[in-house]
Amino acid sequence: MDAPLDLRGSSEEWMLAGWALLLFVVLTIAARIMTPRTHRIRYGASVIFLIVAALGFVLGEMVSSPGAKSFFAGLAMISYGLCLARLLFLLGFDGIIARNRREPIPRILRDITQGVVFFVAAIFALRAAGVEPGQLLTTSALLTVVAGMALQETLGNLAAGLAMQGERPFEVGDWIEVHGTPSHIGRVREINWRATRLHTLDNVELVVPNGLLAKAMVTNHDRPHGAARRSVYFHVAYSVPPRKVHEIVLPGVREASGVLASPAPSLVTFGFDEAGVSYWLRYHINDLSRRDAIDGGVRDRVWYSLERSGISIAVPGRTISVSEVTPATEQARVTQRLEERVKTIEEIDLFSPLSPDERRQLAEDARAEIFAAGETIIRRGERGDTMYLVKSGEVTVRVDNGSGGEVDAVTLGVGTFFGEMSLLTGDPRRATVVAASSCELLVIGHVAFKKLFVAHPEVAKQISEKVVERDRGDAFSKLSAGTKQETEIAERALIGRIKDFFGI
Ligand code: CMP
């Protein structure tokens, strides 16, 4: 063990104290020059330690009892040791390391380094004062147990803080959500050796002990992209087609304040329940501090867009609609539906030779079918005896690509038809037709066509011309653009097949 330092009344001791004071002044000046202005407030602790050391030294000089002298000498030594440790720490950490780093050093690392520096300094000072630190611990086992138990929670928090520092599930500045009852969401302000401080959406500071944080489930809203997805759910009545809701709602949401353009907002037709069709609106935001305001703005947009289009948001409930169904109202409904079909038939020039009564008859014989985008309407190779007129939306025709697969040949819109080949000749479907968007089609069957051909044989000719003309212009067709004579031969052959098939 080192010999205890004797401070008793010699001029040597006063000289030593002078040197110690000088060292303090030099280190303080150096640290003040090196550290940024904002950190200068941290010198209070070293000054306090110095004052305690000075008091210990002076009192040690004044008292005469050897025991008291050595107590004050020890106090002076330890305080001065801590004072130097603090100054060296500030100089090294804030003045040299922190100064040369771009990002701020996490508070927890700073605190722990400081703790270690103090600990080492205290051991040295104790030894210099003639006390063996190991002895202190071993001689008071009971004290150690009590201290251990008292510090259990604190040490747990410290260990959790260190583990988080290693794993880095979040950084200072990230928006995190700590799940629990209740859950808390906030921006990380500081991670220190005991706790993590969050600035919450309620504009208050929340201190979460590290031990608690280590056990809780934590969502980091800033990872991996810095853009968090938000969801809004709403219902619309069953009578409104989902495509219409999508078209009405999305443009308004895209322009809502705080909603990111990329990833773009999207709407999912989410379910069917007692309130109506439920929709799941998703959009991304990167400013969580405005989360509630942005969500509110988006809901406003949804309401206004729907309201402008005469659509109300549906709520759960029982709607009993009483409407008197009289023969007259029923007849009006049937007539309106028929008029719509007649209009679709009128848009197709194939049926231009038909009289208004014949068109009406064809409309009566037809039926309407609706398809969602992506649904297959007819499949290549299957048998079929129906032809389709596009009333709304679009369809894509997919033909054989020559190597067993299919390729998109053409997209057909309102006023076009497809499926006529199988209907007219009895051949298997030559192509697959898929709804490109949600669409409404008029379906005309074999019987209706037979009636038409009997009354208007020229329609068969017209259809044949159209089909041959389409085949000649089609890059995927086996027929190549030929002479006028070849075209006529092909048309005649087709008319012959149609007549044979229909027995006319
Ligand atoms: P069908 O063969 O009965 O069934 C598939 C339908 O796709 C076919 O009738 C035509 O109506 C249509 N079709 C086939 N090939 C083309 C094409 N190249 N261009 C436009 N429509 C086509």
Side-chain angles (χ1 to χ4, degrees):
M1 200 200 291
D2 295 338
L5 208 81
D6 189 4
L7 291 178
R8 262 164 294 167
S10 76
S11 61
E12 258 177 46
E13 283 151 14
W14 281 98
M15 216 156 82
L16 202 62
W19 280 114
L21 188 64
L22 187 67
L23 183 60
F24 170 81
V25 172
V26 171
L27 280 178
T28 306
I29 291 172
R32 276 184 72 93
I33 293 171
M34 300 282 287
T35 52
R37 248 169 212 289
T38 45
H39 291 28
R40 293 196 182 157
I41 202 145
R42 294 175 177 165
Y43 290 88
S46 54
V47 175
I48 290 170
F49 284 135
L50 185 76
I51 292 170
V52 175
L55 272 177
F57 175 74
V58 173
L59 288 173
E61 290 298 305
M62 281 161 66
V63 293
S64 53
S65 134
K69 265 190 190 297
S70 108
F71 168 77
F72 284 122
L75 179 69
M77 193 60 80
I78 293 171
S79 302
Y80 188 70
L82 294 178
C83 166
L84 279 192
R86 174 76 179 161
L87 278 178
L88 286 171
F89 168 76
L90 290 178
L91 186 65
F93 210 87
D94 290 345
I96 299 172
I97 303 176
R99 204 189 168 100
N100 294 319
R101 272 174 61 106
R102 263 218 215 129
E103 316 103 55
I105 295 175
R107 174 76 191 267
I108 188 168
L109 285 187
R110 195 172 189 285
D111 290 349
I112 287 169
T113 316
Q114 161 111 61
V116 171
V117 171
F118 275 164
F119 184 71
V120 173
I123 287 187
F124 272 107
L126 278 171
R127 285 192 157 197
V131 183
E132 182 52 50
Q135 236 176 21
L136 268 184
L137 286 177
T138 46
T139 49
S140 60
L142 187 64
L143 191 74
T144 315
V145 172
V146 172
M149 280 171 68
L151 287 175
Q152 204 178 22
E153 193 124 329
T154 313
L155 290 176
N157 283 331
L158 178 67
L162 280 175
M164 284 192 315
Q165 210 54 48
E167 194 198 344
R168 287 184 180 269
F170 48 79
E171 311 263 348
V172 171
D174 283 356
W175 277 92
I176 64 166
E177 189 165 354
V178 186
H179 296 272
T181 38
S183 292
H184 293 285
I185 180 162
R187 177 172 242 154
V188 181
R189 296 293 290 261
E190 182 188 285
I191 309 165
N192 63 35
W193 62 272
R194 196 193 74 77
T196 297
R197 287 171 191 278
L198 305 183
H199 187 155
T200 72
L201 282 177
D202 293 336
N203 220 6
V204 292
E205 189 171 87
L206 181 78
V207 181
V208 190
N210 290 337
L212 208 77
L213 208 56
K215 281 188 217 135
M217 219 158 69
V218 175
T219 304
N220 187 338
H221 290 276
D222 280 293
R223 296 213 189 138
H225 309 299
R229 189 173 80 177
R230 307 288 306 154
S231 298
V232 164
Y233 297 88
F234 60 93
H235 283 85
V236 170
Y238 282 107
S239 54
V240 187
R243 186 179 60 151
K244 193 167 174 195
V245 176
H246 288 224
E247 281 169 7
I248 290 168
V249 166
L250 279 173
V253 174
R254 279 186 208 114
E255 287 167 5
S257 158
V259 170
L260 296 183
S262 171
S266 59
L267 190 62
V268 174
T269 307
F270 192 58
F272 305 101
D273 54 42
E274 57 183 8
V277 182
S278 68
Y279 293 90
W280 176 20
L281 176 62
R282 297 99 54 90
Y283 51 93
H284 286 75
I285 64 173
N286 61 3
D287 184 1
L288 251 100
S289 62
R290 288 184 55 225
R291 182 190 74 167
D292 299 340
I294 297 172
D295 290 352
V298 167
R299 285 189 203 101
D300 288 350
R301 292 290 179 127
V302 172
W303 189 89
Y304 280 103
S305 319
L306 290 173
E307 189 66 15
R308 259 200 310 279
S309 310
I311 300 169
S312 322
I313 289 177
V315 287
R318 299 262 178 273
T319 309
I320 304 168
S321 42
V322 183
S323 57
E324 201 187 350
V325 184
T326 60
T329 53
E330 185 57 18
Q331 185 54 43
R333 208 168 54 83
V334 171
T335 311
Q336 193 201 346
R337 226 185 290 149
L338 196 66
E339 290 308 328
E340 282 173 19
R341 291 184 190 177
V342 170
K343 204 166 153 260
T344 305
I345 290 169
E346 277 171 354
E347 275 167 3
I348 298 189
D349 61 351
L350 196 66
F351 299 119
S352 53
L354 271 60
S355 70
D357 283 349
E358 284 164 337
R359 283 191 206 132
R360 185 163 285 271
Q361 182 58 53
L362 194 58
E364 275 173 14
D365 291 340
R367 64 170 197 277
E369 281 184 5
I370 50 174
F371 291 86
E375 274 194 282
T376 301
I377 303 161
I378 53 181
R379 274 199 178 74
R380 187 161 61 92
E382 285 182 357
R383 300 239 155 238
D385 62 355
T386 45
M387 169 180 174
Y388 298 80
L389 315 184
V390 183
K391 189 166 175 248
S392 72
E394 284 182 336
V395 299
T396 304
V397 179
R398 293 183 182 156
V399 297
D400 185 2
N401 67 0
S403 50
E406 288 183 347
V407 60
D408 289 358
V410 67
T411 298
L412 306 174
V414 176
T416 58
F417 63 90
F418 62 91
E420 76 294 338
M421 286 306 291
S422 295
L423 168 70
L424 298 177
T425 62
D427 286 351
R429 298 285 191 197
R430 291 195 318 173
T432 295
V433 182
V434 176
S437 65
S438 66
C439 58
E440 198 176 342
L441 309 171
L442 268 197
V443 190
I444 302 174
H446 184 88
V447 179
F449 250 91
K450 189 158 181 177
K451 273 194 228 167
L452 186 68
F453 284 154
V454 172
H456 290 279
E458 70 271 27
V459 172
K461 184 171 182 312
Q462 234 184 321
I463 290 187
S464 307
E465 279 171 13
K466 283 241 175 264
V467 171
V468 171
E469 180 190 311
R470 190 184 62 201
D471 274 357
R472 294 215 171 276
D474 181 3
F476 300 97
S477 168
K478 291 187 185 71
L479 290 178
S480 55
T483 61
K484 196 169 171 241
Q485 203 184 6
E486 280 168 346
T487 305
E488 281 171 10
I489 292 169
E491 283 169 12
R492 271 205 298 278
L494 188 56
I495 294 171
R497 290 189 62 201
I498 294 172
K499 286 189 170 164
D500 279 354
F501 185 59
F502 277 81
I504 47 176

